[in-house]
Short mmCIF file of all heavy atoms in Angstrom, two decimals:
data_model
loop_
_atom_site.label_atom_id
_atom_site.label_comp_id
_atom_site.label_asym_id
_atom_site.label_seq_id
_atom_site.Cartn_x
_atom_site.Cartn_y
_atom_site.Cartn_z
N TRP T 389 131.69 79.49 137.77
CA TRP T 389 130.77 80.63 137.72
C TRP T 389 131.57 81.91 137.89
O TRP T 389 132.50 81.97 138.72
CB TRP T 389 129.72 80.51 138.83
CG TRP T 389 128.65 79.53 138.50
CD1 TRP T 389 127.38 79.79 138.11
CD2 TRP T 389 128.76 78.09 138.52
NE1 TRP T 389 126.70 78.62 137.87
CE2 TRP T 389 127.51 77.56 138.11
CE3 TRP T 389 129.80 77.21 138.83
CZ2 TRP T 389 127.27 76.20 138.01
CZ3 TRP T 389 129.58 75.84 138.72
CH2 TRP T 389 128.32 75.35 138.31
N GLU T 390 131.21 82.92 137.12
CA GLU T 390 131.89 84.21 137.23
C GLU T 390 130.88 85.27 137.65
O GLU T 390 129.80 85.39 137.06
CB GLU T 390 132.53 84.60 135.90
CG GLU T 390 133.26 85.94 135.97
CD GLU T 390 134.09 86.23 134.73
OE1 GLU T 390 134.36 85.29 133.96
OE2 GLU T 390 134.47 87.40 134.55
N SER T 392 130.61 89.21 138.06
CA SER T 392 131.30 90.44 137.68
C SER T 392 131.14 91.50 138.74
O SER T 392 130.12 91.59 139.42
CB SER T 392 130.76 90.95 136.34
OG SER T 392 131.00 90.02 135.32
N ALA T 397 134.11 98.24 137.13
CA ALA T 397 135.17 99.22 137.33
C ALA T 397 136.45 98.69 136.71
O ALA T 397 136.81 97.54 136.91
CB ALA T 397 135.38 99.48 138.82
N LEU T 404 139.54 84.29 143.20
CA LEU T 404 139.28 82.89 142.85
C LEU T 404 138.96 82.14 144.13
O LEU T 404 139.75 82.16 145.09
CB LEU T 404 140.50 82.28 142.16
CG LEU T 404 140.43 80.80 141.79
CD1 LEU T 404 139.28 80.51 140.83
CD2 LEU T 404 141.77 80.33 141.21
N ALA T 445 143.86 60.95 137.97
CA ALA T 445 144.54 61.16 139.25
C ALA T 445 143.56 60.99 140.39
O ALA T 445 142.35 61.15 140.21
CB ALA T 445 145.16 62.57 139.29
N SER T 453 145.44 70.75 143.74
CA SER T 453 146.38 71.85 143.53
C SER T 453 146.73 71.98 142.05
O SER T 453 146.77 73.09 141.50
CB SER T 453 147.65 71.63 144.37
OG SER T 453 148.59 72.65 144.14
N GLY T 462 144.03 78.25 132.20
CA GLY T 462 142.96 78.27 131.22
C GLY T 462 142.18 79.57 131.21
O GLY T 462 141.71 80.01 130.16
N LEU T 463 142.04 80.19 132.37
CA LEU T 463 141.30 81.46 132.48
C LEU T 463 142.22 82.66 132.38
O LEU T 463 141.76 83.80 132.50
CB LEU T 463 140.54 81.50 133.82
CG LEU T 463 139.43 80.47 133.99
CD1 LEU T 463 138.82 80.56 135.38
CD2 LEU T 463 138.35 80.67 132.93
N VAL T 480 143.60 73.06 150.15
CA VAL T 480 143.93 73.06 148.72
C VAL T 480 144.60 74.37 148.34
O VAL T 480 145.65 74.38 147.67
CB VAL T 480 142.66 72.82 147.88
CG1 VAL T 480 142.97 72.97 146.39
CG2 VAL T 480 142.06 71.45 148.17
N ALA T 486 151.90 77.27 148.19
CA ALA T 486 153.23 76.79 148.57
C ALA T 486 153.97 76.19 147.38
O ALA T 486 155.20 76.35 147.24
CB ALA T 486 153.12 75.77 149.69
N LEU T 522 134.08 55.02 154.62
CA LEU T 522 134.64 53.75 154.19
C LEU T 522 133.55 52.69 154.04
O LEU T 522 133.52 51.95 153.05
CB LEU T 522 135.68 53.28 155.22
CG LEU T 522 136.45 52.01 154.86
CD1 LEU T 522 137.21 52.18 153.56
CD2 LEU T 522 137.43 51.65 156.00
N LEU T 535 123.18 55.65 151.88
CA LEU T 535 123.75 56.06 153.16
C LEU T 535 124.42 57.43 153.05
O LEU T 535 124.24 58.29 153.91
CB LEU T 535 124.77 55.01 153.62
CG LEU T 535 125.44 55.26 154.98
CD1 LEU T 535 124.41 55.33 156.09
CD2 LEU T 535 126.48 54.17 155.26
N ARG T 537 123.80 59.80 150.93
CA ARG T 537 122.85 60.86 150.61
C ARG T 537 121.65 60.88 151.56
O ARG T 537 120.66 61.56 151.30
CB ARG T 537 122.38 60.71 149.16
CG ARG T 537 123.50 60.93 148.14
CD ARG T 537 122.98 60.91 146.71
NE ARG T 537 123.96 61.41 145.78
CZ ARG T 537 124.80 60.65 145.08
NH1 ARG T 537 124.76 59.33 145.23
NH2 ARG T 537 125.68 61.19 144.25
N LEU T 544 121.83 65.87 160.44
CA LEU T 544 122.64 65.81 161.66
C LEU T 544 123.95 66.57 161.49
O LEU T 544 124.40 67.28 162.41
CB LEU T 544 122.92 64.35 162.03
CG LEU T 544 121.73 63.55 162.56
CD1 LEU T 544 122.10 62.09 162.73
CD2 LEU T 544 121.24 64.13 163.88
N LEU T 558 118.50 79.17 160.02
CA LEU T 558 118.76 77.75 160.21
C LEU T 558 118.06 76.91 159.14
O LEU T 558 118.64 75.96 158.60
CB LEU T 558 118.31 77.33 161.60
CG LEU T 558 118.82 75.99 162.14
CD1 LEU T 558 120.34 75.96 162.15
CD2 LEU T 558 118.28 75.74 163.54
N TYR T 566 120.75 70.17 152.19
CA TYR T 566 119.91 69.17 151.52
C TYR T 566 120.12 69.23 150.00
O TYR T 566 120.17 68.21 149.32
CB TYR T 566 118.43 69.38 151.80
CG TYR T 566 118.01 69.28 153.25
CD1 TYR T 566 116.89 69.98 153.70
CD2 TYR T 566 118.71 68.49 154.17
CE1 TYR T 566 116.48 69.90 155.03
CE2 TYR T 566 118.31 68.42 155.49
CZ TYR T 566 117.19 69.12 155.91
OH TYR T 566 116.80 69.06 157.22
N SER T 570 124.96 66.55 148.69
CA SER T 570 125.03 65.21 148.11
C SER T 570 125.32 65.23 146.61
O SER T 570 125.15 64.22 145.93
CB SER T 570 123.71 64.46 148.37
OG SER T 570 123.54 64.24 149.76
N SER T 581 138.49 62.22 148.67
CA SER T 581 138.46 63.63 149.10
C SER T 581 138.34 63.74 150.61
O SER T 581 138.95 64.63 151.22
CB SER T 581 137.29 64.35 148.43
OG SER T 581 137.45 64.39 147.04
N VAL T 590 146.63 73.40 156.67
CA VAL T 590 147.36 74.61 156.26
C VAL T 590 148.71 74.66 156.98
O VAL T 590 149.71 75.12 156.43
CB VAL T 590 146.53 75.86 156.58
CG1 VAL T 590 147.31 77.13 156.20
CG2 VAL T 590 145.18 75.83 155.85
N ARG T 591 148.74 74.17 158.21
CA ARG T 591 149.95 74.21 159.02
C ARG T 591 151.13 73.54 158.34
O ARG T 591 152.29 73.96 158.51
CB ARG T 591 149.67 73.53 160.36
CG ARG T 591 150.78 73.66 161.39
CD ARG T 591 150.34 73.06 162.72
NE ARG T 591 150.27 71.61 162.69
CZ ARG T 591 149.77 70.87 163.68
NH1 ARG T 591 149.26 71.46 164.74
NH2 ARG T 591 149.75 69.55 163.59
N LYS T 619 147.75 79.38 166.82
CA LYS T 619 149.01 78.68 166.57
C LYS T 619 149.44 78.85 165.12
O LYS T 619 150.63 79.11 164.83
CB LYS T 619 148.83 77.19 166.91
CG LYS T 619 150.05 76.32 166.59
CD LYS T 619 151.26 76.71 167.40
CE LYS T 619 152.42 75.77 167.13
NZ LYS T 619 153.65 76.16 167.88
N LEU T 620 148.50 78.73 164.21
CA LEU T 620 148.81 78.90 162.79
C LEU T 620 149.36 80.30 162.52
O LEU T 620 150.29 80.48 161.72
CB LEU T 620 147.56 78.65 161.95
CG LEU T 620 147.67 78.84 160.43
CD1 LEU T 620 148.74 77.92 159.86
CD2 LEU T 620 146.33 78.58 159.76
N GLY T 627 150.89 87.12 158.33
CA GLY T 627 149.50 86.71 158.56
C GLY T 627 148.70 87.72 159.35
O GLY T 627 149.24 88.55 160.10
N HIS T 640 130.47 81.25 156.17
CA HIS T 640 129.96 81.63 154.84
C HIS T 640 128.44 81.68 154.79
O HIS T 640 127.88 82.38 153.94
CB HIS T 640 130.49 80.67 153.78
CG HIS T 640 130.20 79.22 154.03
ND1 HIS T 640 130.47 78.61 155.22
CD2 HIS T 640 129.66 78.26 153.23
CE1 HIS T 640 130.12 77.33 155.15
NE2 HIS T 640 129.61 77.10 153.96
N HIS T 658 146.20 96.02 150.99
CA HIS T 658 147.18 95.43 150.06
C HIS T 658 146.75 95.71 148.62
O HIS T 658 146.37 94.80 147.88
CB HIS T 658 147.28 93.91 150.29
CG HIS T 658 147.74 93.53 151.66
ND1 HIS T 658 146.88 93.35 152.71
CD2 HIS T 658 149.00 93.34 152.15
CE1 HIS T 658 147.57 93.04 153.79
NE2 HIS T 658 148.85 93.03 153.49
#
Side-chain angles (χ1 to χ4, degrees):
W389 283 256
E390 181 171 343
S392 297
L404 177 61
S453 178
L463 295 176
V480 174
L522 185 60
L535 182 60
R537 294 186 167 95
L544 289 173
L558 196 57
Y566 299 153
S570 295
S581 296
V590 178
R591 188 175 72 187
K619 176 63 176 178
L620 178 59
H640 56 310
H658 298 89

